[in-house]
Amino acid sequence: MSDIQRCDAVVIGAGFAGMYALHRLRDDLGLRVRVFERGTDVGGTWYWNRYPGARCDVESMYYSYSFSAELEQEWEWSELYPAQPEILAYANHVADRFDLRADIAFETSVESAEFDEGALEWIVRTDRGETVAARFLITAVGCLSASRIPPFPGLDSFAGEIYHTGEWPHEGVDFSGKRVAVVGTGSSGLQVIPKIAEQAEHLTVFQRTPAFSLPARNRPLGAQEVAEFKADYPARRAAARMAPSGVPGIPPVGSALSVTDEQREQLLTERWNRGGTSFMRVFNDTVVNLDANEFSAEFVRERIRDIVDDPATADKLIPRGYPIGAKRICLDTDYWVTFNRDNVDLVSVRDTPIEEITAAGLRVGDTEYAVDVIVFATGYDAMTGPLNAIDIRGADGVALRETWAAGPRTYLGIATAGFPNLFMLTAPGSPSVLVNVIISIEQHVDWVADTLTHMRENGYSRIEAVLDAQDRWVEHVNEAASRTLFLQGNSWYLGANVPGKPRVFMPYVGGAGPYRKICDEVAADGYRGFTLSAANPESATSGRAVDVPAGN
Ligand code: N01
């Protein structure tokens, strides 16, 4: 402990959440903040996901920070949906503009963090041998950052190249003249497949579950629409903060069951032609009523039949057996039409799984598919994976990963009982991945900043979620999910993609705006459900531990 450094807060991760946390706590609150980031630079998800076709499916004018009017006025987005290089350029711009790199240690992973109850400090240790003591620990590790290649037998024996979409090489990959396999058809697979197909000699797609996808219809942004947007930014940001999805949209027309077949077809066609995920919000019951859901699901299936020339291939690509939206809806550009190309084949591994990776390729049943490159678009150990990768130990020395062995439990998706002075940005139990995540990040960071200000002004040095309040929040999160169709798909929301992971619906479906109101009410009510205390008990009174709001 001789070389121990001291600061007020350690932030883990320099993606969009960590960057904003550093800015708020250091520049607005005047705290000494140290950020650790395992990558060589800022950007988080957008630093790692450099695969061809990587693009956000939230509109760029909304998928950006709102905390600085100057920043939002000066930055120019070129397309409706931002491509990865542009988002990463934006992250770099923000880092330069707010001088963030000065307090970020790159290529440094946090290995452990242990709470010292006597000193009321987190002792944080890194893989570079650094030890830092800080009053507060803030995890900004991302929800989709623990990339996962399934442990196929023989993986190490493959003689060719292996990539995961979430850890793409900075120098890029040249697929020219190569036989390529893509395993996985989620959002990443659907984006990378058309791009690889354009370059590779041959592409074989290995699909376990066919995805529902909607056309992005990306396009350049016009100067006039950007000018109008920027002139109206304050109002649009305010609307985004309160919108359920974190992006203001057209209100639903009502139930899908309340309109005629012709009206329904017309409304769905309009949204399909418009592009984007608003197709899912034409009606107010698409994700809560199976009959209503089936109309939208069948509409998409029909489009697949229209687009894909070979009926047998189309049939394999058609998603069945789960509601549209129960697994994360995808947005694509030219995905299904890619299967009309002569150099692309589709292999269903639903009934006969990939049994092994051989030196030459992949074996499915008795067939070996020889390839030069395997691209795994097989997703992530979502939400809990990045947290459980760190040995986080709370007040009594108990590990977070043990406490969460049966599934994550948080209060408001930001704190967990037994782990004082720990704030987890966009953690399980928060809306995060179900909404515009930048909105979620700003809301969480602002809430933490306000909490630390409250603590400072009132002489508190310790804050901890109350177990009872946490139990009720978990119950509320589960109950809200149970009123939707989300539980009917084998999604990463439920941990279903990782064998052995507890099946728990992790995000909060209540929506960004309603969730913000709950968090604000908790704070306004003296941090209801948290215990606040001082290092010196005489310098402050204890916090309150009372009811969690019923939510929406
Ligand atoms: O990962 P996924 P992703 N054998 O988990 C398959 C965000 N994102 O990287 O569905 C064969 O969705 C798996 O099959 P199944 C977005 O939130 C956003 O694509 O489990 N296949 C599935 O097809 C997204 O939801 C954007 O049966 C196996 C695929 O691999 C999240 O990131 C872009 C397998 C994994 O799909 C994750 O998306 C990209 C096995 N053993 C990502 N194991 C945009 O904003 C898994 N699979 C547009």
Side-chain angles (χ1 to χ4, degrees):
M1 302 276 261
S2 54
D3 283 346
I4 200 158
Q5 306 164 46
R6 290 215 133 65
C7 63
D8 299 307
V10 162
V11 175
I12 310 177
F16 278 75
M19 289 167 69
Y20 183 48
L22 169 59
H23 170 61
R24 275 294 266 137
L25 301 192
R26 185 192 66 184
D27 301 335
D28 293 347
L29 272 62
L31 300 183
R32 292 166 303 153
V33 183
R34 185 110 168 103
V35 183
F36 293 110
E37 164 57 50
R38 71 187 159 106
T40 58
D41 212 335
V42 297
T45 286
W46 303 104
Y47 168 94
W48 295 100
N49 280 264
R50 295 166 189 248
Y51 60 85
R55 186 181 291 284
C56 184
D57 57 12
V58 177
E59 294 180 21
S60 51
M61 297 300 287
Y62 286 113
Y63 192 83
S64 46
Y65 289 122
S66 69
F67 68 83
S68 160
E70 296 77 24
L71 172 66
E72 68 186 7
Q73 290 297 327
E74 77 198 12
W75 183 260
E76 296 291 337
W77 294 106
S78 68
E79 295 178 276
L80 182 63
Y81 295 104
Q84 176 271 334
E86 196 163 71
I87 307 175
L88 190 57
Y90 173 73
N92 278 287
H93 172 75
V94 173
D96 292 339
R97 196 184 194 291
F98 297 96
D99 191 25
L100 299 180
R101 289 193 187 82
D103 292 294
I104 305 173
F106 292 104
E107 294 182 84
T108 308
S109 294
V110 170
E111 291 190 327
S112 68
E114 192 173 350
F115 190 68
D116 177 343
E117 187 67 73
L120 291 188
E121 277 178 340
W122 281 95
I123 309 299
V124 178
R125 293 192 173 82
T126 75
D127 62 349
R128 286 180 171 255
E130 274 183 82
T131 304
V132 180
R135 171 75 26 108
F136 299 102
L137 177 64
I138 297 166
T139 61
V141 291
C143 297
L144 295 155
S145 52
S147 60
R148 187 175 175 274
I149 294 180
F152 294 114
L155 201 55
D156 292 341
S157 68
F158 183 58
E161 303 156 54
I162 287 184
Y163 303 101
H164 187 285
T165 47
E167 289 184 39
W168 205 256
H170 287 203
E171 63 279 14
V173 181
D174 184 5
F175 294 103
S176 315
K178 293 190 174 148
R179 297 161 304 166
V180 183
V182 172
V183 181
T185 53
S187 296
S188 306
L190 265 63
Q191 289 188 326
V192 81
I193 284 165
K195 294 291 179 191
I196 295 178
E198 283 170 12
Q199 212 188 43
E201 181 190 304
H202 192 270
L203 169 64
T204 310
V205 175
F206 294 84
Q207 170 194 267
R208 186 164 69 182
T209 307
F212 282 105
S213 185
L214 305 168
R217 307 209 193 281
N218 183 43
R219 58 173 175 77
L221 284 169
Q224 179 66 23
E225 67 181 315
V226 170
E228 281 171 18
F229 207 109
K230 286 188 173 180
D232 195 30
Y233 238 144
R236 296 189 190 197
R237 294 292 201 186
R241 288 187 194 106
M242 296 321 292
S245 67
V247 177
I250 314 159
V253 297
S255 167
L257 308 172
S258 68
V259 294
T260 64
D261 290 349
E262 292 73 29
Q263 286 170 326
R264 198 182 307 109
E265 191 70 11
Q266 190 197 339
L267 285 161
L268 289 172
T269 304
E270 271 170 21
R271 292 295 176 92
W272 176 269
N273 292 338
R274 178 195 294 258
T277 54
S278 83
F279 177 91
M280 295 300 294
R281 294 184 291 277
V282 181
F283 306 109
N284 61 13
D285 48 2
T286 304
V287 295
V288 295
N289 179 310
L290 206 49
D291 294 334
N293 185 280
E294 184 55 22
F295 290 120
S296 299
E298 191 50 30
F299 183 95
V300 174
R301 293 186 197 114
E302 272 304 311
R303 301 291 77 74
I304 302 173
R305 293 181 189 108
D306 292 345
I307 296 168
V308 179
D309 294 339
D310 173 38
T313 304
D315 197 57
K316 271 198 265 181
L317 286 166
I318 285 175
R320 300 184 177 89
Y322 69 96
I324 184 171
K327 286 164 82 81
R328 211 278 204 169
I329 192 77
C330 302
L331 276 202
D332 74 274
T333 299
D334 297 335
Y335 174 62
W336 286 308
V337 78
T338 296
F339 293 91
N340 293 339
R341 296 178 66 110
D342 292 338
N343 69 333
V344 177
D345 286 325
L346 177 66
V347 175
S348 173
V349 294
R350 168 181 281 214
D351 299 324
T352 313
I354 297 167
E355 267 164 41
E356 64 168 335
I357 309 292
T358 63
L362 302 87
R363 190 168 67 76
V364 178
D366 294 335
T367 312
E368 185 178 52
Y369 296 86
V371 294
D372 305 302
V373 185
I374 305 177
V375 172
F376 287 103
T378 42
Y380 301 86
D381 182 354
M383 303 197 83
T384 49
L387 290 166
N388 286 339
I390 306 167
D391 186 11
I392 300 175
R393 286 175 189 269
D396 50 6
V398 168
L400 185 69
R401 45 171 94 114
E402 282 163 27
T403 310
W404 285 7
R409 298 185 74 80
T410 68
Y411 179 42
L412 299 177
I414 196 163
T416 188
F419 295 79
N421 294 4
L422 168 67
F423 297 101
M424 298 172 292
L425 305 179
T426 68
S430 76
S432 56
V433 292
L434 294 177
V435 304
N436 174 2
V437 78
I438 306 271
I439 284 279
S440 272
I441 284 168
E442 285 192 328
Q443 184 263 336
H444 260 183
V445 171
D446 289 341
W447 193 89
V448 170
D450 289 348
T451 303
L452 298 190
T453 303
H454 172 83
M455 291 178 71
R456 183 158 64 186
E457 287 172 355
N458 292 281
Y460 295 125
S461 41
R462 187 185 190 283
I463 182 167
E464 183 181 349
V466 174
L467 190 58
D468 185 46
Q470 173 171 296
D471 287 346
R472 274 178 284 160
W473 180 253
V474 170
E475 204 178 301
H476 171 59
V477 169
N478 290 338
E479 195 270 329
S482 73
R483 282 187 265 136
T484 71
L485 302 174
F486 277 114
L487 305 184
Q488 298 187 30
N490 288 322
S491 67
W492 58 257
Y493 298 139
L494 279 161
N497 62 321
V498 180
K501 190 166 173 172
R503 199 177 168 98
V504 172
F505 189 81
M506 293 182 281
Y508 175 52
V509 298
Y515 171 78
R516 176 187 298 272
K517 276 171 84 177
I518 294 170
C519 292
D520 289 349
E521 283 162 17
V522 164
D525 198 13
Y527 290 88
R528 185 176 65 214
F530 287 95
T531 302
L532 288 151
S533 54
N536 170 4
E538 280 164 25
S539 69
T541 51
S542 187
R544 299 211 296 120
V546 288
D547 280 352
V548 180
N552 64 333

